[in-house]
Amino acid sequence: MTFKIMGVTAGRKDSNSEILLKEALLACEKQGSEITMINLRNYNIMECTGCTTCTNGMTIGKNVGCILDKKDDKKAIMEVMLNQDAVIFSAPTYDLMPTATFLKFMHRNLSYESAFLESIGEIEC
């Protein structure tokens, strides 16, 4: 079975972050892994609204997802990401913080909280 690794960057095209990620993925590929890479800047990812729909669903044991899933590309990215064996993230930092593009993506991850999804049988770990 091939090990599947996804690279996710949030930097400009051909920036240091993207170059370093490509180098890491090439090393993985040389070891026999199947690799995939995306740049978050190529996708429409909306900001979390703080509506708490995902957390309210979790309190009753249901995966209701995010209310923004049909309005942007986050769910499509996550469907690929959740089928990987490993993910490598690469993002430039400004004033010791990752880019806003990366933060928007990460803030929307609560509805994909793996321990919860595993406990209700949505995913296998």
PDB file of all heavy atoms in Angstrom, residues 61-101:
ATOM      1  N   GLY A  61     -24.220  14.906  19.114  1.00  0.00           N
ATOM      2  CA  GLY A  61     -23.643  13.721  18.475  1.00  0.00           C
ATOM      3  C   GLY A  61     -23.880  13.613  16.986  1.00  0.00           C
ATOM      4  O   GLY A  61     -23.879  12.528  16.426  1.00  0.00           O
ATOM      5  N   LYS A  62     -24.079  14.743  16.315  1.00  0.00           N
ATOM      6  CA  LYS A  62     -24.333  14.721  14.870  1.00  0.00           C
ATOM      7  C   LYS A  62     -23.294  15.559  14.140  1.00  0.00           C
ATOM      8  O   LYS A  62     -22.885  16.615  14.610  1.00  0.00           O
ATOM      9  CB  LYS A  62     -25.726  15.254  14.562  1.00  0.00           C
ATOM     10  CG  LYS A  62     -26.821  14.359  15.062  1.00  0.00           C
ATOM     11  CD  LYS A  62     -28.168  14.822  14.597  1.00  0.00           C
ATOM     12  CE  LYS A  62     -29.220  13.842  15.117  1.00  0.00           C
ATOM     13  NZ  LYS A  62     -30.559  14.265  14.802  1.00  0.00           N
ATOM     14  N   ASN A  63     -22.899  15.080  12.972  1.00  0.00           N
ATOM     15  CA  ASN A  63     -21.990  15.830  12.115  1.00  0.00           C
ATOM     16  C   ASN A  63     -22.832  16.689  11.173  1.00  0.00           C
ATOM     17  O   ASN A  63     -23.300  16.218  10.149  1.00  0.00           O
ATOM     18  CB  ASN A  63     -21.090  14.890  11.325  1.00  0.00           C
ATOM     19  CG  ASN A  63     -20.137  15.624  10.410  1.00  0.00           C
ATOM     20  OD1 ASN A  63     -19.911  16.816  10.575  1.00  0.00           O
ATOM     21  ND2 ASN A  63     -19.581  14.930   9.460  1.00  0.00           N
ATOM     22  N   VAL A  64     -23.030  17.926  11.535  1.00  0.00           N
ATOM     23  CA  VAL A  64     -23.836  18.821  10.706  1.00  0.00           C
ATOM     24  C   VAL A  64     -22.967  19.631   9.750  1.00  0.00           C
ATOM     25  O   VAL A  64     -23.480  20.328   8.889  1.00  0.00           O
ATOM     26  CB  VAL A  64     -24.709  19.765  11.569  1.00  0.00           C
ATOM     27  CG1 VAL A  64     -25.713  18.968  12.390  1.00  0.00           C
ATOM     28  CG2 VAL A  64     -23.859  20.637  12.468  1.00  0.00           C
ATOM     29  N   GLY A  65     -21.652  19.538   9.917  1.00  0.00           N
ATOM     30  CA  GLY A  65     -20.745  20.268   9.047  1.00  0.00           C
ATOM     31  C   GLY A  65     -20.761  21.758   9.335  1.00  0.00           C
ATOM     32  O   GLY A  65     -21.166  22.205  10.396  1.00  0.00           O
ATOM     33  N   CYS A  66     -20.336  22.499   8.344  1.00  0.00           N
ATOM     34  CA  CYS A  66     -20.244  23.957   8.453  1.00  0.00           C
ATOM     35  C   CYS A  66     -21.297  24.587   7.537  1.00  0.00           C
ATOM     36  O   CYS A  66     -21.528  24.099   6.428  1.00  0.00           O
ATOM     37  CB  CYS A  66     -18.833  24.395   8.034  1.00  0.00           C
ATOM     38  SG  CYS A  66     -18.590  26.183   8.013  1.00  0.00           S
ATOM     39  N   ILE A  67     -21.896  25.669   7.975  1.00  0.00           N
ATOM     40  CA  ILE A  67     -22.919  26.322   7.149  1.00  0.00           C
ATOM     41  C   ILE A  67     -22.333  26.922   5.867  1.00  0.00           C
ATOM     42  O   ILE A  67     -23.061  27.233   4.944  1.00  0.00           O
ATOM     43  CB  ILE A  67     -23.696  27.402   7.931  1.00  0.00           C
ATOM     44  CG1 ILE A  67     -22.766  28.525   8.383  1.00  0.00           C
ATOM     45  CG2 ILE A  67     -24.439  26.802   9.097  1.00  0.00           C
ATOM     46  CD1 ILE A  67     -23.495  29.777   8.817  1.00  0.00           C
ATOM     47  N   LEU A  68     -21.013  27.075   5.824  1.00  0.00           N
ATOM     48  CA  LEU A  68     -20.367  27.643   4.641  1.00  0.00           C
ATOM     49  C   LEU A  68     -19.921  26.588   3.634  1.00  0.00           C
ATOM     50  O   LEU A  68     -19.392  26.929   2.579  1.00  0.00           O
ATOM     51  CB  LEU A  68     -19.159  28.492   5.061  1.00  0.00           C
ATOM     52  CG  LEU A  68     -19.457  29.654   6.006  1.00  0.00           C
ATOM     53  CD1 LEU A  68     -18.166  30.326   6.448  1.00  0.00           C
ATOM     54  CD2 LEU A  68     -20.390  30.652   5.343  1.00  0.00           C
ATOM     55  N   ASP A  69     -20.125  25.300   3.929  1.00  0.00           N
ATOM     56  CA  ASP A  69     -19.632  24.216   3.072  1.00  0.00           C
ATOM     57  C   ASP A  69     -20.082  24.321   1.615  1.00  0.00           C
ATOM     58  O   ASP A  69     -19.344  23.945   0.714  1.00  0.00           O
ATOM     59  CB  ASP A  69     -20.044  22.851   3.627  1.00  0.00           C
ATOM     60  CG  ASP A  69     -19.148  22.386   4.753  1.00  0.00           C
ATOM     61  OD1 ASP A  69     -18.064  22.972   4.941  1.00  0.00           O
ATOM     62  OD2 ASP A  69     -19.538  21.429   5.454  1.00  0.00           O
ATOM     63  N   LYS A  70     -21.285  24.807   1.374  1.00  0.00           N
ATOM     64  CA  LYS A  70     -21.789  24.893  -0.001  1.00  0.00           C
ATOM     65  C   LYS A  70     -21.454  26.225  -0.663  1.00  0.00           C
ATOM     66  O   LYS A  70     -21.738  26.430  -1.830  1.00  0.00           O
ATOM     67  CB  LYS A  70     -23.298  24.666  -0.021  1.00  0.00           C
ATOM     68  CG  LYS A  70     -23.671  23.255   0.393  1.00  0.00           C
ATOM     69  CD  LYS A  70     -25.155  23.037   0.374  1.00  0.00           C
ATOM     70  CE  LYS A  70     -25.444  21.618   0.845  1.00  0.00           C
ATOM     71  NZ  LYS A  70     -26.858  21.387   1.026  1.00  0.00           N
ATOM     72  N   LYS A  71     -20.812  27.120   0.085  1.00  0.00           N
ATOM     73  CA  LYS A  71     -20.530  28.456  -0.438  1.00  0.00           C
ATOM     74  C   LYS A  71     -19.074  28.659  -0.826  1.00  0.00           C
ATOM     75  O   LYS A  71     -18.753  29.665  -1.460  1.00  0.00           O
ATOM     76  CB  LYS A  71     -20.926  29.508   0.600  1.00  0.00           C
ATOM     77  CG  LYS A  71     -22.403  29.513   0.911  1.00  0.00           C
ATOM     78  CD  LYS A  71     -22.745  30.537   1.952  1.00  0.00           C
ATOM     79  CE  LYS A  71     -24.229  30.507   2.253  1.00  0.00           C
ATOM     80  NZ  LYS A  71     -24.599  31.468   3.278  1.00  0.00           N
ATOM     81  N   ASP A  72     -18.188  27.738  -0.417  1.00  0.00           N
ATOM     82  CA  ASP A  72     -16.772  27.897  -0.762  1.00  0.00           C
ATOM     83  C   ASP A  72     -16.122  26.542  -1.003  1.00  0.00           C
ATOM     84  O   ASP A  72     -16.819  25.534  -1.118  1.00  0.00           O
ATOM     85  CB  ASP A  72     -16.036  28.726   0.296  1.00  0.00           C
ATOM     86  CG  ASP A  72     -15.850  28.011   1.622  1.00  0.00           C
ATOM     87  OD1 ASP A  72     -16.257  26.839   1.770  1.00  0.00           O
ATOM     88  OD2 ASP A  72     -15.266  28.626   2.527  1.00  0.00           O
ATOM     89  N   ASP A  73     -14.807  26.516  -1.074  1.00  0.00           N
ATOM     90  CA  ASP A  73     -14.070  25.310  -1.451  1.00  0.00           C
ATOM     91  C   ASP A  73     -13.534  24.505  -0.274  1.00  0.00           C
ATOM     92  O   ASP A  73     -12.863  23.491  -0.479  1.00  0.00           O
ATOM     93  CB  ASP A  73     -12.887  25.700  -2.354  1.00  0.00           C
ATOM     94  CG  ASP A  73     -13.334  26.383  -3.630  1.00  0.00           C
ATOM     95  OD1 ASP A  73     -14.383  25.991  -4.187  1.00  0.00           O
ATOM     96  OD2 ASP A  73     -12.627  27.310  -4.073  1.00  0.00           O
ATOM     97  N   LYS A  74     -13.787  24.903   0.952  1.00  0.00           N
ATOM     98  CA  LYS A  74     -13.216  24.225   2.119  1.00  0.00           C
ATOM     99  C   LYS A  74     -13.569  22.743   2.170  1.00  0.00           C
ATOM    100  O   LYS A  74     -12.707  21.895   2.390  1.00  0.00           O
ATOM    101  CB  LYS A  74     -13.675  24.932   3.395  1.00  0.00           C
ATOM    102  CG  LYS A  74     -13.306  24.247   4.695  1.00  0.00           C
ATOM    103  CD  LYS A  74     -11.829  24.290   4.976  1.00  0.00           C
ATOM    104  CE  LYS A  74     -11.557  23.660   6.335  1.00  0.00           C
ATOM    105  NZ  LYS A  74     -10.195  23.746   6.736  1.00  0.00           N
ATOM    106  N   LYS A  75     -14.834  22.395   1.965  1.00  0.00           N
ATOM    107  CA  LYS A  75     -15.257  21.001   2.056  1.00  0.00           C
ATOM    108  C   LYS A  75     -14.571  20.146   0.997  1.00  0.00           C
ATOM    109  O   LYS A  75     -14.153  19.019   1.292  1.00  0.00           O
ATOM    110  CB  LYS A  75     -16.777  20.880   1.944  1.00  0.00           C
ATOM    111  CG  LYS A  75     -17.265  19.466   2.175  1.00  0.00           C
ATOM    112  CD  LYS A  75     -18.761  19.372   2.238  1.00  0.00           C
ATOM    113  CE  LYS A  75     -19.147  17.939   2.558  1.00  0.00           C
ATOM    114  NZ  LYS A  75     -20.571  17.803   2.775  1.00  0.00           N
ATOM    115  N   ALA A  76     -14.426  20.657  -0.215  1.00  0.00           N
ATOM    116  CA  ALA A  76     -13.765  19.894  -1.276  1.00  0.00           C
ATOM    117  C   ALA A  76     -12.308  19.606  -0.914  1.00  0.00           C
ATOM    118  O   ALA A  76     -11.804  18.502  -1.146  1.00  0.00           O
ATOM    119  CB  ALA A  76     -13.843  20.651  -2.596  1.00  0.00           C
ATOM    120  N   ILE A  77     -11.644  20.579  -0.322  1.00  0.00           N
ATOM    121  CA  ILE A  77     -10.254  20.377   0.121  1.00  0.00           C
ATOM    122  C   ILE A  77     -10.209  19.326   1.226  1.00  0.00           C
ATOM    123  O   ILE A  77      -9.367  18.428   1.212  1.00  0.00           O
ATOM    124  CB  ILE A  77      -9.636  21.706   0.608  1.00  0.00           C
ATOM    125  CG1 ILE A  77      -9.510  22.699  -0.546  1.00  0.00           C
ATOM    126  CG2 ILE A  77      -8.281  21.460   1.263  1.00  0.00           C
ATOM    127  CD1 ILE A  77      -9.171  24.108  -0.114  1.00  0.00           C
ATOM    128  N   MET A  78     -11.118  19.421   2.174  1.00  0.00           N
ATOM    129  CA  MET A  78     -11.121  18.503   3.301  1.00  0.00           C
ATOM    130  C   MET A  78     -11.450  17.077   2.887  1.00  0.00           C
ATOM    131  O   MET A  78     -10.942  16.124   3.486  1.00  0.00           O
ATOM    132  CB  MET A  78     -12.095  18.983   4.380  1.00  0.00           C
ATOM    133  CG  MET A  78     -11.668  20.269   5.053  1.00  0.00           C
ATOM    134  SD  MET A  78     -10.000  20.238   5.743  1.00  0.00           S
ATOM    135  CE  MET A  78     -10.190  19.034   7.039  1.00  0.00           C
ATOM    136  N   GLU A  79     -12.279  16.894   1.870  1.00  0.00           N
ATOM    137  CA  GLU A  79     -12.590  15.542   1.393  1.00  0.00           C
ATOM    138  C   GLU A  79     -11.327  14.855   0.886  1.00  0.00           C
ATOM    139  O   GLU A  79     -11.139  13.658   1.094  1.00  0.00           O
ATOM    140  CB  GLU A  79     -13.672  15.590   0.321  1.00  0.00           C
ATOM    141  CG  GLU A  79     -15.047  15.868   0.902  1.00  0.00           C
ATOM    142  CD  GLU A  79     -16.119  16.082  -0.150  1.00  0.00           C
ATOM    143  OE1 GLU A  79     -15.808  16.106  -1.365  1.00  0.00           O
ATOM    144  OE2 GLU A  79     -17.290  16.224   0.245  1.00  0.00           O
ATOM    145  N   VAL A  80     -10.449  15.605   0.248  1.00  0.00           N
ATOM    146  CA  VAL A  80      -9.168  15.050  -0.192  1.00  0.00           C
ATOM    147  C   VAL A  80      -8.236  14.869   1.001  1.00  0.00           C
ATOM    148  O   VAL A  80      -7.617  13.821   1.170  1.00  0.00           O
ATOM    149  CB  VAL A  80      -8.517  15.968  -1.257  1.00  0.00           C
ATOM    150  CG1 VAL A  80      -7.128  15.472  -1.624  1.00  0.00           C
ATOM    151  CG2 VAL A  80      -9.393  16.057  -2.493  1.00  0.00           C
ATOM    152  N   MET A  81      -8.154  15.879   1.847  1.00  0.00           N
ATOM    153  CA  MET A  81      -7.220  15.856   2.977  1.00  0.00           C
ATOM    154  C   MET A  81      -7.515  14.718   3.952  1.00  0.00           C
ATOM    155  O   MET A  81      -6.595  14.075   4.473  1.00  0.00           O
ATOM    156  CB  MET A  81      -7.251  17.191   3.716  1.00  0.00           C
ATOM    157  CG  MET A  81      -6.190  17.300   4.789  1.00  0.00           C
ATOM    158  SD  MET A  81      -6.228  18.873   5.651  1.00  0.00           S
ATOM    159  CE  MET A  81      -5.751  19.973   4.343  1.00  0.00           C
ATOM    160  N   LEU A  82      -8.776  14.438   4.213  1.00  0.00           N
ATOM    161  CA  LEU A  82      -9.127  13.394   5.168  1.00  0.00           C
ATOM    162  C   LEU A  82      -8.817  11.995   4.646  1.00  0.00           C
ATOM    163  O   LEU A  82      -8.872  11.026   5.408  1.00  0.00           O
ATOM    164  CB  LEU A  82     -10.602  13.509   5.565  1.00  0.00           C
ATOM    165  CG  LEU A  82     -10.931  14.701   6.457  1.00  0.00           C
ATOM    166  CD1 LEU A  82     -12.441  14.852   6.617  1.00  0.00           C
ATOM    167  CD2 LEU A  82     -10.262  14.583   7.819  1.00  0.00           C
ATOM    168  N   ASN A  83      -8.491  11.872   3.369  1.00  0.00           N
ATOM    169  CA  ASN A  83      -8.119  10.581   2.788  1.00  0.00           C
ATOM    170  C   ASN A  83      -6.617  10.435   2.614  1.00  0.00           C
ATOM    171  O   ASN A  83      -6.163   9.569   1.874  1.00  0.00           O
ATOM    172  CB  ASN A  83      -8.839  10.375   1.457  1.00  0.00           C
ATOM    173  CG  ASN A  83     -10.311  10.116   1.660  1.00  0.00           C
ATOM    174  OD1 ASN A  83     -10.683   9.256   2.448  1.00  0.00           O
ATOM    175  ND2 ASN A  83     -11.146  10.875   0.993  1.00  0.00           N
ATOM    176  N   GLN A  84      -5.844  11.276   3.283  1.00  0.00           N
ATOM    177  CA  GLN A  84      -4.384  11.210   3.227  1.00  0.00           C
ATOM    178  C   GLN A  84      -3.856  10.521   4.478  1.00  0.00           C
ATOM    179  O   GLN A  84      -4.513  10.505   5.509  1.00  0.00           O
ATOM    180  CB  GLN A  84      -3.790  12.625   3.137  1.00  0.00           C
ATOM    181  CG  GLN A  84      -4.296  13.457   1.977  1.00  0.00           C
ATOM    182  CD  GLN A  84      -3.916  12.868   0.629  1.00  0.00           C
ATOM    183  OE1 GLN A  84      -2.763  12.554   0.378  1.00  0.00           O
ATOM    184  NE2 GLN A  84      -4.900  12.727  -0.238  1.00  0.00           N
ATOM    185  N   ASP A  85      -2.643   9.990   4.370  1.00  0.00           N
ATOM    186  CA  ASP A  85      -1.982   9.424   5.539  1.00  0.00           C
ATOM    187  C   ASP A  85      -1.236  10.496   6.322  1.00  0.00           C
ATOM    188  O   ASP A  85      -1.009  10.351   7.523  1.00  0.00           O
ATOM    189  CB  ASP A  85      -1.001   8.332   5.109  1.00  0.00           C
ATOM    190  CG  ASP A  85      -1.724   7.162   4.466  1.00  0.00           C
ATOM    191  OD1 ASP A  85      -2.645   6.617   5.104  1.00  0.00           O
ATOM    192  OD2 ASP A  85      -1.383   6.799   3.324  1.00  0.00           O
ATOM    193  N   ALA A  86      -0.822  11.555   5.638  1.00  0.00           N
ATOM    194  CA  ALA A  86      -0.090  12.649   6.285  1.00  0.00           C
ATOM    195  C   ALA A  86      -0.317  13.929   5.499  1.00  0.00           C
ATOM    196  O   ALA A  86      -0.605  13.900   4.300  1.00  0.00           O
ATOM    197  CB  ALA A  86       1.403  12.333   6.343  1.00  0.00           C
ATOM    198  N   VAL A  87      -0.190  15.056   6.198  1.00  0.00           N
ATOM    199  CA  VAL A  87      -0.322  16.369   5.562  1.00  0.00           C
ATOM    200  C   VAL A  87       0.842  17.231   6.039  1.00  0.00           C
ATOM    201  O   VAL A  87       1.161  17.250   7.226  1.00  0.00           O
ATOM    202  CB  VAL A  87      -1.660  17.060   5.922  1.00  0.00           C
ATOM    203  CG1 VAL A  87      -1.763  18.419   5.246  1.00  0.00           C
ATOM    204  CG2 VAL A  87      -2.843  16.185   5.542  1.00  0.00           C
ATOM    205  N   ILE A  88       1.468  17.934   5.089  1.00  0.00           N
ATOM    206  CA  ILE A  88       2.533  18.880   5.411  1.00  0.00           C
ATOM    207  C   ILE A  88       2.012  20.275   5.094  1.00  0.00           C
ATOM    208  O   ILE A  88       1.574  20.530   3.971  1.00  0.00           O
ATOM    209  CB  ILE A  88       3.807  18.605   4.585  1.00  0.00           C
ATOM    210  CG1 ILE A  88       4.305  17.183   4.811  1.00  0.00           C
ATOM    211  CG2 ILE A  88       4.892  19.632   4.930  1.00  0.00           C
ATOM    212  CD1 ILE A  88       5.439  16.775   3.865  1.00  0.00           C
ATOM    213  N   PHE A  89       2.030  21.174   6.070  1.00  0.00           N
ATOM    214  CA  PHE A  89       1.584  22.550   5.875  1.00  0.00           C
ATOM    215  C   PHE A  89       2.795  23.456   5.740  1.00  0.00           C
ATOM    216  O   PHE A  89       3.804  23.273   6.425  1.00  0.00           O
ATOM    217  CB  PHE A  89       0.736  23.027   7.052  1.00  0.00           C
ATOM    218  CG  PHE A  89      -0.590  22.347   7.151  1.00  0.00           C
ATOM    219  CD1 PHE A  89      -0.786  21.306   8.034  1.00  0.00           C
ATOM    220  CD2 PHE A  89      -1.645  22.757   6.358  1.00  0.00           C
ATOM    221  CE1 PHE A  89      -2.010  20.673   8.134  1.00  0.00           C
ATOM    222  CE2 PHE A  89      -2.881  22.133   6.445  1.00  0.00           C
ATOM    223  CZ  PHE A  89      -3.059  21.085   7.337  1.00  0.00           C
ATOM    224  N   SER A  90       2.665  24.460   4.880  1.00  0.00           N
ATOM    225  CA  SER A  90       3.725  25.435   4.663  1.00  0.00           C
ATOM    226  C   SER A  90       3.084  26.803   4.493  1.00  0.00           C
ATOM    227  O   SER A  90       2.239  26.991   3.621  1.00  0.00           O
ATOM    228  CB  SER A  90       4.505  25.049   3.398  1.00  0.00           C
ATOM    229  OG  SER A  90       5.388  26.060   3.027  1.00  0.00           O
ATOM    230  N   ALA A  91       3.485  27.739   5.346  1.00  0.00           N
ATOM    231  CA  ALA A  91       2.915  29.083   5.262  1.00  0.00           C
ATOM    232  C   ALA A  91       3.958  30.106   5.676  1.00  0.00           C
ATOM    233  O   ALA A  91       4.684  29.895   6.651  1.00  0.00           O
ATOM    234  CB  ALA A  91       1.688  29.213   6.153  1.00  0.00           C
ATOM    235  N   PRO A  92       4.034  31.211   4.956  1.00  0.00           N
ATOM    236  CA  PRO A  92       4.934  32.271   5.393  1.00  0.00           C
ATOM    237  C   PRO A  92       4.418  32.898   6.678  1.00  0.00           C
ATOM    238  O   PRO A  92       3.241  32.760   7.017  1.00  0.00           O
ATOM    239  CB  PRO A  92       4.895  33.280   4.236  1.00  0.00           C
ATOM    240  CG  PRO A  92       3.674  32.978   3.466  1.00  0.00           C
ATOM    241  CD  PRO A  92       3.319  31.552   3.733  1.00  0.00           C
ATOM    242  N   THR A  93       5.303  33.539   7.397  1.00  0.00           N
ATOM    243  CA  THR A  93       4.889  34.219   8.618  1.00  0.00           C
ATOM    244  C   THR A  93       5.203  35.707   8.507  1.00  0.00           C
ATOM    245  O   THR A  93       6.200  36.105   7.924  1.00  0.00           O
ATOM    246  CB  THR A  93       5.611  33.652   9.860  1.00  0.00           C
ATOM    247  OG1 THR A  93       7.018  33.783   9.678  1.00  0.00           O
ATOM    248  CG2 THR A  93       5.251  32.211  10.085  1.00  0.00           C
ATOM    249  N   TYR A  94       4.310  36.490   9.054  1.00  0.00           N
ATOM    250  CA  TYR A  94       4.482  37.925   9.128  1.00  0.00           C
ATOM    251  C   TYR A  94       4.233  38.320  10.574  1.00  0.00           C
ATOM    252  O   TYR A  94       3.192  37.987  11.138  1.00  0.00           O
ATOM    253  CB  TYR A  94       3.505  38.653   8.207  1.00  0.00           C
ATOM    254  CG  TYR A  94       3.570  38.173   6.774  1.00  0.00           C
ATOM    255  CD1 TYR A  94       2.487  37.548   6.172  1.00  0.00           C
ATOM    256  CD2 TYR A  94       4.729  38.331   6.025  1.00  0.00           C
ATOM    257  CE1 TYR A  94       2.551  37.102   4.860  1.00  0.00           C
ATOM    258  CE2 TYR A  94       4.809  37.879   4.707  1.00  0.00           C
ATOM    259  CZ  TYR A  94       3.711  37.272   4.144  1.00  0.00           C
ATOM    260  OH  TYR A  94       3.795  36.824   2.852  1.00  0.00           O
ATOM    261  N   ASP A  95       5.169  39.003  11.202  1.00  0.00           N
ATOM    262  CA  ASP A  95       5.055  39.366  12.618  1.00  0.00           C
ATOM    263  C   ASP A  95       4.742  38.147  13.484  1.00  0.00           C
ATOM    264  O   ASP A  95       3.863  38.179  14.338  1.00  0.00           O
ATOM    265  CB  ASP A  95       3.992  40.444  12.834  1.00  0.00           C
ATOM    266  CG  ASP A  95       4.423  41.785  12.269  1.00  0.00           C
ATOM    267  OD1 ASP A  95       5.634  42.076  12.284  1.00  0.00           O
ATOM    268  OD2 ASP A  95       3.543  42.532  11.809  1.00  0.00           O
ATOM    269  N   LEU A  96       5.446  37.049  13.216  1.00  0.00           N
ATOM    270  CA  LEU A  96       5.347  35.798  13.966  1.00  0.00           C
ATOM    271  C   LEU A  96       3.995  35.109  13.851  1.00  0.00           C
ATOM    272  O   LEU A  96       3.649  34.251  14.668  1.00  0.00           O
ATOM    273  CB  LEU A  96       5.717  36.014  15.438  1.00  0.00           C
ATOM    274  CG  LEU A  96       7.092  36.641  15.691  1.00  0.00           C
ATOM    275  CD1 LEU A  96       7.297  36.885  17.171  1.00  0.00           C
ATOM    276  CD2 LEU A  96       8.196  35.760  15.124  1.00  0.00           C
ATOM    277  N   MET A  97       3.212  35.450  12.846  1.00  0.00           N
ATOM    278  CA  MET A  97       1.904  34.823  12.621  1.00  0.00           C
ATOM    279  C   MET A  97       1.833  34.315  11.183  1.00  0.00           C
ATOM    280  O   MET A  97       2.394  34.938  10.285  1.00  0.00           O
ATOM    281  CB  MET A  97       0.778  35.844  12.815  1.00  0.00           C
ATOM    282  CG  MET A  97       0.630  36.370  14.220  1.00  0.00           C
ATOM    283  SD  MET A  97      -0.038  35.156  15.352  1.00  0.00           S
ATOM    284  CE  MET A  97      -1.680  34.966  14.722  1.00  0.00           C
ATOM    285  N   PRO A  98       1.133  33.185  10.955  1.00  0.00           N
ATOM    286  CA  PRO A  98       0.953  32.726   9.571  1.00  0.00           C
ATOM    287  C   PRO A  98       0.040  33.683   8.812  1.00  0.00           C
ATOM    288  O   PRO A  98      -0.666  34.495   9.413  1.00  0.00           O
ATOM    289  CB  PRO A  98       0.311  31.350   9.724  1.00  0.00           C
ATOM    290  CG  PRO A  98      -0.290  31.347  11.074  1.00  0.00           C
ATOM    291  CD  PRO A  98       0.504  32.301  11.917  1.00  0.00           C
ATOM    292  N   THR A  99       0.032  33.548   7.508  1.00  0.00           N
ATOM    293  CA  THR A  99      -0.772  34.432   6.664  1.00  0.00           C
ATOM    294  C   THR A  99      -2.268  34.312   6.974  1.00  0.00           C
ATOM    295  O   THR A  99      -2.731  33.301   7.491  1.00  0.00           O
ATOM    296  CB  THR A  99      -0.578  34.083   5.176  1.00  0.00           C
ATOM    297  OG1 THR A  99      -1.005  32.737   4.960  1.00  0.00           O
ATOM    298  CG2 THR A  99       0.851  34.264   4.745  1.00  0.00           C
ATOM    299  N   ALA A 100      -3.006  35.333   6.610  1.00  0.00           N
ATOM    300  CA  ALA A 100      -4.459  35.333   6.803  1.00  0.00           C
ATOM    301  C   ALA A 100      -5.111  34.203   6.014  1.00  0.00           C
ATOM    302  O   ALA A 100      -6.091  33.606   6.472  1.00  0.00           O
ATOM    303  CB  ALA A 100      -5.044  36.682   6.394  1.00  0.00           C
ATOM    304  N   THR A 101      -4.576  33.876   4.845  1.00  0.00           N
ATOM    305  CA  THR A 101      -5.109  32.783   4.033  1.00  0.00           C
ATOM    306  C   THR A 101      -5.065  31.477   4.817  1.00  0.00           C
ATOM    307  O   THR A 101      -6.046  30.731   4.867  1.00  0.00           O
ATOM    308  CB  THR A 101      -4.293  32.637   2.736  1.00  0.00           C
ATOM    309  OG1 THR A 101      -4.316  33.873   2.030  1.00  0.00           O
ATOM    310  CG2 THR A 101      -4.834  31.535   1.858  1.00  0.00           C
TER     311      THR A 101
END
